[in-house]
């Protein structure tokens, strides 16, 4: 009796993850323009959402056309709690996670009883309703005396920090020192205890740490009992249920998990971009997320990263075509779907294999 | 009695697919359900495994009423099945298909799986080992790492059986296991069904192949147009007037 290639699978996966980590660490050293760092952070955030969406769509076979709403709910909850109520960003993100989880459960339970086009319509409707709420929601941050919400969204979201002393000790000390020496001085070392992610490079590493952790978690889920249950119900709900898989429970669970991933990305996005507006989380965004899943490759963990990268980068690259960029963008998507219908990862690998290892 | 079916009826928009069907299955026996096409055999299986609920009547497994339960609950109690129109998970390898069958015998949730806890790793090893045993049982272990869709039809039927057995059922329903098999394969299948019975698993099967049915069944029930027209040993059925009229009259049973 031959043993399966479990060992080999893990070794190979370690290699891939190692390569990804090395790439992530090294890339900033080759960038000459801070703007690219900004794009890389967006890719990381998109990859987090796409990983979750791929669990839902690629593996469990359930579509969601409203996932930008969860992204937006995460971002808005983080933004509102930190700006208006002065919560610590980490606490705000955790509350966002809980809140999005509950919303996803409430939306998921009835929606996931539907199949195919009907499920697409239900999630689409949810996404649009969330978009309207983002657009209409208005309130005032009393202590800031700023009107918030509406089309402008939430502004002045603080940078993410873990510890931030705000005691003005340095000021006091420098005053005293200046009394003695007669020269104004700053004592910078006291800030060494603060952990504030105030520049893009630090934030880049933070976001990609999340991306890689979520990638590993997703990969573990897929290659486990629950992952097999998800893949099984994708092909045959009947057969899966006669083997004891609680179809509805698994569908709702994976829906909630994918929403949680989106919420994490949303919170990270809010503290990165400092202001969140409704236009970032509309129908268009939901479609882009689905496109990332499809272009990267359905049921492909690594494809999620590639899909997020390609679709996020493409508009940046196509700027050179100026007014024609959107046409060329569409054309490229069509070509990918016609010639690599299984997505970039699987499609390219199959082609390379077909050519060289016949 | 492991399975009791009482006055079971179902309508599909006026079409009476099953009418007042009543019979029992004894623990440890091989029982066959036969009947011409459209007699309601697969419908009966779908009702027993909870794919849809009956219009009226009851199904009891081990004195537990299962006719209003969902499929996965019925599976939990110990009833699984195979399918006439194969329902292989064709996006998975042969081994993974059987591993899905171990779902009920393992319990790692999303969180344990995501962080790959020690108990999950242990469980995963157990799942692989026992799944390989079940593949071995049906003689497919050499194809364990192939994609299931690449298997020939006969092997896919065996794979479904292995997958169903992996959940350690007490009652297994085989829906036309010999359909599409040649004589040699059918012969092997008979051996396999006996082997299943020898593991103290009760077998209920729907089959068109008369040779197979008559040879391995302890008892046979005959359905025609949704009604039970006869029940008895293979010998009794062979000489039953109603059966000959309803069944043998329109179907050439030379085997």
């Amino acid at each position: 009796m031959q043993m399966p290639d479990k060992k080999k699978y893990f070794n190979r996966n370690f290699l891939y993850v190692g390569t990804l980590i090395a790439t992530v660490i090294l890339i900033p050293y080759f960038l000459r323009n801070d703007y690219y760092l900004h794009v890389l952070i967006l890719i990381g955030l998109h990859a987090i959402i796409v990983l979750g969406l791929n669990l839902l769509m690629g593996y469990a076979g359930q579509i969601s056309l409203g996932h930008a709403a969860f992204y937006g709910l995460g971002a808005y909850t983080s933004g509102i709690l930190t700006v208006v109520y002065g919560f610590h960003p980490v606490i705000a993100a955790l509350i966002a996670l809980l809140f999005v989880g509950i919303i996803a459960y409430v939306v998921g339970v009835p929606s996931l009883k539907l199949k195919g086009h009907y499920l697409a319509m239900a999630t689409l409707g949810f996404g649009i309703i969330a978009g309207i709420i983002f657009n209409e929601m208005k309130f005032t941050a009393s202590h800031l005396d700023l009107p918030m919400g509406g089309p402008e969204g939430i502004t002045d979201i603080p940078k993410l920090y873990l510890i931030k002393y705000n005691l003005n000790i340095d000021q006091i000390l420098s005053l005293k020192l200046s009394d003695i020496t007669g020269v104004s001085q700053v004592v910078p070392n006291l800030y060494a205890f603060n952990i504030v992610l105030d520049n893009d490079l630090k934030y880049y590493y933070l976001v990609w740490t999340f991306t890689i952790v979520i990638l590993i978690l997703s990969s573990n889920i897929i290659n486990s009992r629950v992952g097999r249950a998800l893949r099984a119900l994708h092909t045959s709900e009947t057969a899966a249920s006669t083997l004891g898989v609680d179809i509805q429970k698994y569908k709702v669970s994976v829906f909630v998990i994918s929403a949680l991933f989106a919420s994490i990305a949303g919170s990270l996005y809010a503290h990165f971009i400092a202001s969140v507006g409704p236009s970032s989380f509309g129908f268009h965004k939901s479609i882009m997320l689905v496109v990332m899943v499809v272009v990267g490759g359905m049921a492909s963990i690594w494809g999620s990263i590639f899909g997020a990268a390609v679709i996020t980068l493409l508009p940046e690259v196509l700027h050179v075509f100026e007014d024609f960029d959107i046409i060329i963008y569409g054309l490229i998507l069509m070509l990918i779907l016609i010639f690599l219908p299984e997505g970039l990862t699987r499609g390219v690998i199959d082609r390379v294999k077909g050519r060289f290892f016949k | 009695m492991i399975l009791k079916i009482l006055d079971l009826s179902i309508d599909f928009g006026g079409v009476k697919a099953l009418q007042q069907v009543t019979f029992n299955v004894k623990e440890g026996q091989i029982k066959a359900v036969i009947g011409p096409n459209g007699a309601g055999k697969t419908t009966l299986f779908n009702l027993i495994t909870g794919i849809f609920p009956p219009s009226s009547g009851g199904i009891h497994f081990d004195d537990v009423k299962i006719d209003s339960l969902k499929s996965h609950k019925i599976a939990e109690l110990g009833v699984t099945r195979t399918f006439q129109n194969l329902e292989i998970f064709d996006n998975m390898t042969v081994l993974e298909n059987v591993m899905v069958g171990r779902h009920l015998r393992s319990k790692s949730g999303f969180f344990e799986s995501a962080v790959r806890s020690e108990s999950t790793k242990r469980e995963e090893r157990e799942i692989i080992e026992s799944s390989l045993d079940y593949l071995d049982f049906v003689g497919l272990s050499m194809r364990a790492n192939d994609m299931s869709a690449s298997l020939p039809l006969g092997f896919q039927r065996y794979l479904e059986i292995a997958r169903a057995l992996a959940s350690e059922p007490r009652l297994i329903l085989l829906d036309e296991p010999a359909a599409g098999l040649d004589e040699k394969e059918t012969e092997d299948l008979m051996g396999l069904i006996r082997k299943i019975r020898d593991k103290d698993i009760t077998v209920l099967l729907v089959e068109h192949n008369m040779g197979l049915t008559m040879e391995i069944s302890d008892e046979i029930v005959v359905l025609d147009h949704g009604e039970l027209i006869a029940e008895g040993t293979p010998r009794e059925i062979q000489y039953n007037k109603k059966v000959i009229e309803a069944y043998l009259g329109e179907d050439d049973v030379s085997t």
Side-chain angles (χ1 to χ4, degrees):
Chain A
M1 201 189 300
Q2 109 210 69
M3 281 305 285
D5 298 344
K6 266 277 148 154
K7 259 242 149 61
K8 219 159 103 196
Y9 154 75
F10 278 114
N11 287 342
R12 218 174 37 196
N13 238 21
F14 275 130
L15 184 70
Y16 291 159
V17 173
T19 313
L20 179 65
I21 292 174
T23 315
V24 166
I25 291 175
L26 290 177
I27 280 185
Y29 295 102
F30 297 98
L31 294 179
R32 263 174 277 140
N33 187 336
D34 267 0
Y35 180 69
Y36 293 125
L37 210 52
H38 180 101
V39 176
L40 285 174
I41 291 173
L42 286 183
I43 293 177
L45 293 173
H46 288 157
I48 292 174
I49 313 170
V50 174
L51 279 165
L53 197 54
N54 212 337
L55 288 182
L56 179 72
M57 283 178 58
Y59 290 98
Q62 313 299 312
I63 195 167
S64 168
L65 292 182
H67 246 57
F70 296 122
Y71 185 37
L73 282 172
Y76 263 83
T77 313
S78 266
I80 293 169
L81 288 180
T82 50
V83 174
V84 183
Y85 300 101
F87 276 65
H88 188 282
V90 176
I91 307 286
L94 291 175
I95 295 174
L97 214 52
L98 184 69
F99 176 63
V100 169
I102 292 168
I103 298 282
Y105 183 79
V106 170
V107 172
V109 166
S111 308
L112 290 162
K113 289 190 174 141
L114 306 171
K115 281 181 188 144
H117 298 116
Y118 299 98
L119 175 63
M121 291 303 286
T123 51
L124 175 67
F126 163 69
I128 288 173
I129 290 168
I132 293 171
I133 292 173
F134 292 147
N135 222 343
E136 297 296 326
M137 187 171 50
K138 285 202 180 76
F139 47 85
T140 312
S142 51
H143 62 287
L144 292 172
D145 214 18
L146 274 173
M148 294 268 179
E152 284 86 38
I154 315 289
T155 50
D156 293 325
I157 300 170
K159 287 287 170 195
L160 186 64
Y161 60 86
L162 295 177
I163 306 166
K164 191 167 76 177
Y165 291 115
N166 215 354
L167 303 170
N168 291 334
I169 301 173
D170 56 333
Q171 217 179 337
I172 298 162
L173 281 178
S174 70
L175 278 176
K176 282 185 178 166
L177 285 170
S178 66
D179 283 348
I180 302 163
T181 60
V183 188
S184 159
Q185 290 184 32
V186 186
V187 184
N189 278 346
L190 282 171
Y191 272 128
F193 296 102
N194 287 6
I195 304 174
V196 186
L197 289 120
D198 49 3
N199 72 38
D200 276 3
L201 187 63
K202 287 183 196 169
Y203 213 79
Y204 162 82
Y205 284 123
L206 177 81
V207 166
W208 276 90
T209 307
F210 270 97
T211 310
I212 290 167
V213 167
I214 284 176
L215 176 109
I216 294 169
L217 295 182
S218 306
S219 167
N220 283 346
I221 287 177
I222 288 316
N223 293 292
S224 73
R225 168 178 183 264
V226 287
R228 284 187 296 273
L230 294 176
R231 285 183 283 158
L233 73 87
H234 185 179
T235 338
S236 169
E237 291 192 9
T238 313
S241 64
T242 60
L243 294 167
V245 178
D246 187 341
I247 303 291
Q248 179 70 5
K249 185 184 114 187
Y250 275 90
K251 281 188 194 172
V252 173
S253 303
V254 73
F255 188 73
V256 170
I257 287 172
S258 68
L260 293 180
F261 287 2
S263 169
I264 293 173
S267 295
L268 288 169
Y269 176 78
H271 292 292
F272 166 57
I273 220 89
S275 70
V276 293
S279 59
S280 314
F281 312 111
F283 173 59
H284 180 250
K285 190 70 175 200
S286 290
I287 297 296
M288 292 316 290
L289 293 170
V290 172
V291 170
M292 288 179 198
V293 172
V294 175
V295 166
M298 299 270 267
S300 162
I301 289 287
W302 291 94
S304 309
I305 306 273
F306 288 116
V310 168
I311 300 301
T312 312
L313 279 175
L314 213 48
E316 311 292 335
V317 178
L318 294 180
H319 274 318
V320 291
F321 295 101
E322 293 178 356
D323 289 351
F324 297 102
D325 60 348
I326 198 76
I327 297 172
I328 296 181
Y329 184 74
L331 203 64
I332 291 176
L333 288 189
M334 278 173 66
L335 290 176
I336 290 177
L337 292 184
I338 291 169
F339 292 105
L340 303 168
E342 289 183 312
L344 283 177
T345 25
R346 189 93 29 102
V348 170
I349 290 171
D350 286 355
R351 248 141 231 261
V352 171
K353 271 189 182 160
R355 185 136 316 160
F356 298 112
F357 308 105
K358 247 178 202 159
Chain B
M1 294 299 162
I2 193 165
L3 186 73
K4 288 184 213 158
I5 291 171
L6 189 69
D7 283 336
L8 197 66
S9 305
I10 184 164
D11 304 342
F12 293 118
V15 179
K16 288 179 173 148
L18 283 178
Q19 297 176 55
Q20 310 244 301
V21 171
T22 300
F23 69 93
N24 294 328
V25 181
K26 280 198 207 86
E27 183 141 24
Q29 70 172 182
I30 298 175
K31 188 148 188 163
V33 179
I34 61 169
N37 285 326
K41 305 181 297 286
T42 296
T43 305
L44 175 70
F45 270 25
N46 286 342
L47 292 178
I48 297 173
T49 50
I51 310 244
F52 36 76
S55 308
S56 66
I59 306 169
H60 291 257
F61 175 72
D62 256 357
D63 295 320
V64 180
K65 193 170 150 64
I66 60 168
D67 48 72
S68 51
L69 294 182
K70 286 195 175 159
S71 283
H72 68 268
K73 286 280 169 204
I74 295 170
E76 256 170 59
L77 291 170
V79 184
T80 59
R81 65 176 293 183
T82 65
F83 297 87
Q84 180 187 357
N85 308 313
L86 294 159
E87 301 270 359
I88 292 283
F89 305 130
D90 51 18
N91 53 347
M92 297 190 199
T93 65
V94 170
L95 178 64
E96 281 176 321
N97 263 272
V98 185
M99 286 166 83
V100 177
R102 293 302 288 169
H103 188 84
L104 281 173
R105 302 293 155 193
S106 46
K107 52 185 187 303
S108 290
F110 275 93
F111 183 74
E112 293 102 312
S113 301
V115 300
R116 211 162 265 281
S117 68
E118 278 309 310
S119 65
T120 303
K121 282 188 205 158
R122 210 174 321 119
E123 200 173 76
E124 192 75 4
R125 274 195 296 275
E126 187 279 328
I127 291 174
I128 292 174
E129 274 165 31
S130 52
S131 299
L132 282 169
D133 287 345
Y134 284 103
L135 277 179
D136 207 33
F137 184 80
V138 300
L140 275 181
S141 50
M142 68 292 177
R143 303 295 294 263
N145 291 322
D146 293 358
M147 286 309 287
S148 55
S150 72
L151 291 184
L153 180 105
F155 282 179
Q156 292 199 0
R157 293 210 180 277
Y158 279 14
L159 175 57
E160 275 205 347
I161 294 174
R163 187 178 71 182
L165 288 175
S167 69
E168 296 176 24
R170 294 187 48 224
L171 170 67
I172 186 169
L173 311 185
L174 305 177
D175 198 350
E176 299 208 23
L181 301 191
D182 64 28
E183 231 167 272
K184 162 82 174 57
E185 289 170 327
T186 308
E187 195 72 29
D188 293 344
L189 179 71
M190 269 194 262
L192 180 63
I193 294 174
R194 288 204 180 95
K195 252 166 73 185
I196 294 171
R197 197 253 327 263
D198 294 343
K199 282 171 80 104
D200 290 327
I201 299 169
T202 312
V203 180
L204 182 63
L205 78 155
V206 160
E207 190 45 70
H208 271 302
N209 185 316
M210 280 304 153
L212 179 138
T213 315
M214 293 296 167
E215 199 175 322
I216 66 168
S217 307
D218 298 315
E219 275 186 315
I220 295 176
V221 292
V222 188
L223 293 181
D224 186 30
H225 296 294
E227 284 179 80
L228 189 144
I229 55 167
E231 182 176 7
T233 62
R235 215 180 146 70
E236 287 165 2
I237 295 299
Q238 262 170 331
Y239 295 102
N240 186 301
K241 249 210 174 111
K242 266 187 177 168
V243 177
I244 295 166
E245 265 171 36
Y247 196 103
L248 306 184
E250 63 181 84
D251 209 310
D252 177 31
V253 193
S254 47
T255 45

